[in-house]
Amino acid sequence: MSSEIAIKVENLSKCYQIYDQPRDRLKQFVLPRLRRLAGMPPKQYYREFWALKDVSFEVKKGETVGIIGRNGSGKSTLLQMICGTLSPTSGTIETKGRIAALLELGSGFNPEFTGLENIYLNASILGLSKKEIDQSLEEIIDFSELGEFVGQPVKTYSSGMVVRLAFSVTVHVKPDILVVDEALAVGDGAFQLKCMDRLKSLQEIGTTVLFVSHDLGSIGRLCSGVHILDKGKKLPAESVFDSMRTYERLLKINDQKEKIYKKGVRNPLKKYYCSSEYLPESLGTQEAVISEVDLLGESEAGDECFLSGEKVKMRLLIIAETEIQDVIIGFGLRNSQGVRVIGGNNQFSGYPLRLQKGNNCIEASFQLNIVAGEYFLNIGLVKDDGERTDLDQRWGVRKILVTSAVFQVGQAYTSIEYRAL
């Protein structure tokens, strides 16, 4: 392996034996041997499940590489094998330097030991001598913000306290390779920001980082490369932005629009996201329906992944049963917490609209001046007849990913110019 390579994974596979019933495990242990002694071919009493299949990639020293994929795609299995806590079925793994890992919440901690005792236990497992731990002890405790609770048994800690302690010990070991598996999602916002700052400081001193997260905003800010796992296989490598766009397509609930017919009107648009008994697929009289929605970036290609600040075109196909005067078309983007971050309508923009009978194609353009994250699109049609009659309301019809290479705060942002006076 080249001296410039920190991690080399080659043709890595992991197979699990799945038994339908407990007694099948005993049968597998005994009966195949008896069948061989009797000159009969052995019989298999389990099903094979390949968590990983022929995965290969390299990570250079000092790189931060993200591993993304849907739940069950093999991400955690891969990291466990890289860290040596799980053995591969086939393939090879080569690493250079000390590895520190945050795999599962509290892994490596003894719940009966105090936080202080677990600091010494965990740091010694990671390769530090008692003298080295003594030198870093005060800094570890300060970073964890546990205070006097460091003397209490870990079994009394909340999940947030456990991840604070685990992360604090791991980053103060000063590893050559740091492996993080979704652990930062547990801490509060302030601690997550603190962890991100520490990760950036480790990057600056040349630490190799392997980072698994469903937070694509963090992936976009931290990683110089991204690998996608899907059903145990690694997809072809792409740029960070293109990889996230591919991942969003994998997450899309239903690529094929279902056709719904109501009052003889073709209406294929369904609510793909935010499924809930409290969020019906549509509301309104259905005199006019939103039939199709396309979001186009600056490349003019329909997409689900955009850069923060990018100009987006929203193209709508609206089918009206009759001609309708004075129509208001409104939209809003909500984050995963349900907070509306941007929105507007043609009335606010001073652009009157009317619908003709049949097909109506409408295009609206807006700037995505929002921070990196996942957002859901709501669209509504209202007839401005004095009473504001709902024609059609669609909630969560599209999910989009906004990514950025720079750190952003808040929900929406604006460009700021500074000058000395």
Side-chain angles (χ1 to χ4, degrees):
M1 186 169 71
S2 168
S3 60
E4 296 299 313
I5 303 298
I7 303 171
K8 184 177 181 181
V9 174
E10 194 166 8
N11 299 323
L12 194 66
S13 298
K14 179 63 179 179
C15 180
Y16 290 99
Q17 296 177 355
I18 308 298
Y19 295 91
D20 292 328
Q21 299 178 5
R23 64 173 176 264
D24 291 339
R25 190 180 297 273
L26 179 60
K27 288 180 181 179
Q28 181 63 36
F29 183 74
V30 176
L31 295 183
R33 300 181 186 185
L34 296 177
R35 291 177 68 91
R36 289 191 191 97
L37 290 174
M40 301 170 64
K43 184 179 178 181
Q44 184 172 294
Y45 295 91
Y46 61 85
R47 293 176 288 108
E48 292 184 343
F49 171 71
W50 291 89
L52 285 178
K53 191 70 173 178
D54 296 326
V55 172
S56 300
F57 64 90
E58 294 180 348
V59 180
K60 294 181 180 179
K61 286 184 177 179
E63 276 191 326
T64 298
V65 173
I67 306 292
I68 58 178
R70 294 179 289 181
N71 290 331
S73 61
K75 303 185 300 298
S76 296
T77 299
L78 172 63
L79 295 193
Q80 288 179 56
M81 288 193 287
I82 290 175
C83 295
T85 60
L86 194 64
S87 299
T89 302
S90 62
T92 59
I93 303 168
E94 296 180 67
T95 60
K96 284 188 176 179
R98 175 189 290 165
I99 300 178
L102 279 169
L103 295 180
E104 296 179 14
L105 188 61
S107 59
F109 282 176
N110 187 324
E112 300 297 332
F113 288 4
T114 66
L116 184 61
E117 291 169 331
N118 271 293
I119 290 174
Y120 279 92
L121 173 64
N122 208 251
S124 61
I125 292 174
L126 294 173
L128 264 63
S129 65
K130 185 177 184 302
K131 182 179 179 180
E132 290 174 316
I133 301 172
D134 288 338
Q135 291 172 345
S136 303
L137 183 61
E138 186 176 347
E139 190 176 353
I140 292 172
I141 296 173
D142 287 344
F143 188 91
S144 69
E145 301 176 0
L146 291 180
E148 61 184 20
F149 291 101
V150 76
Q152 298 298 317
V154 165
K155 67 181 180 182
T156 65
Y157 288 8
S158 68
S159 59
M161 294 168 72
V162 173
V163 79
R164 285 171 184 266
L165 185 60
F167 186 86
S168 184
V169 173
T170 302
V171 296
H172 285 91
V173 167
K174 298 179 181 177
D176 300 298
I177 300 172
L178 176 64
V179 178
V180 182
D181 184 7
E182 204 63 71
L184 302 186
V186 180
D188 58 46
F191 188 73
Q192 288 182 30
L193 180 59
K194 189 176 180 179
C195 291
M196 287 298 175
D197 288 340
R198 181 51 64 99
L199 283 177
K200 288 179 180 179
S201 67
L202 289 173
Q203 288 177 315
E204 290 171 359
I205 63 174
T207 301
T208 304
V209 181
L210 205 57
F211 187 57
V212 167
S213 178
H214 289 289
D215 179 5
L216 297 187
S218 298
I219 292 285
R221 290 193 299 269
L222 292 172
C223 298
S224 55
V226 175
H227 297 298
I228 304 175
L229 292 180
D230 187 47
K231 297 179 181 178
K233 295 183 179 181
K234 190 179 84 67
L235 302 187
E238 299 177 287
S239 68
V240 174
F241 181 74
D242 288 338
S243 292
M244 289 192 288
R245 184 163 50 188
T246 298
Y247 174 62
E248 280 299 309
R249 288 170 180 162
L250 290 174
L251 288 178
K252 196 169 183 181
I253 292 177
N254 188 355
D255 287 324
Q256 300 297 321
K257 297 176 181 177
E258 288 189 30
K259 293 183 178 180
I260 304 172
Y261 293 89
K262 184 162 185 173
K263 298 181 181 179
V265 177
R266 176 177 175 270
N267 180 14
L269 184 66
K270 280 183 69 72
K271 172 174 60 59
Y272 293 126
Y273 300 98
C274 305
S275 180
S276 167
E277 61 180 308
Y278 303 109
L279 296 178
E281 288 169 6
S282 63
L283 289 172
T285 65
Q286 304 287 284
E287 296 171 68
V289 294
I290 305 163
S291 178
E292 294 180 12
V293 178
D294 289 312
L295 297 174
L296 292 81
E298 294 176 358
S299 64
E300 291 291 322
D303 237 325
E304 296 87 33
C305 190
F306 302 92
L307 291 170
S308 181
E310 187 173 356
K311 188 174 183 179
V312 175
K313 293 179 181 178
M314 180 173 63
R315 289 180 180 168
L316 308 176
L317 174 60
I318 299 171
I319 304 176
E321 291 183 337
T322 60
E323 182 175 310
I324 304 175
Q325 301 287 340
D326 297 324
V327 171
I328 300 173
I329 303 174
F331 82 98
L333 283 177
R334 294 181 183 268
N335 62 18
S336 55
Q337 288 78 44
V339 178
R340 185 171 180 173
V341 293
I342 58 172
N345 61 48
N346 59 290
Q347 189 179 65
F348 292 163
S349 301
Y351 190 86
L353 282 175
R354 69 178 181 86
L355 298 178
Q356 62 182 9
K357 182 179 179 180
N359 292 354
N360 296 262
C361 296
I362 308 294
E363 180 177 281
S365 298
F366 57 93
Q367 205 85 17
L368 275 179
N369 287 339
I370 53 180
V371 302
E374 292 180 333
Y375 299 92
F376 299 87
L377 177 65
N378 295 352
I379 307 178
L381 281 181
V382 174
K383 179 165 60 175
D384 192 10
D385 56 0
E387 296 183 0
R388 298 236 171 170
T389 304
D390 280 331
L391 300 173
D392 194 16
Q393 301 283 337
R394 304 288 170 142
W395 298 339
V397 292
R398 289 288 182 273
K399 183 180 77 170
I400 69 169
L401 170 70
V402 178
T403 184
S404 174
V406 299
F407 183 75
Q408 299 165 322
V409 294
Q411 292 295 335
Y413 70 90
T414 184
S415 298
I416 304 175
E417 295 182 1
Y418 295 91
R419 62 187 179 94
L421 299 177

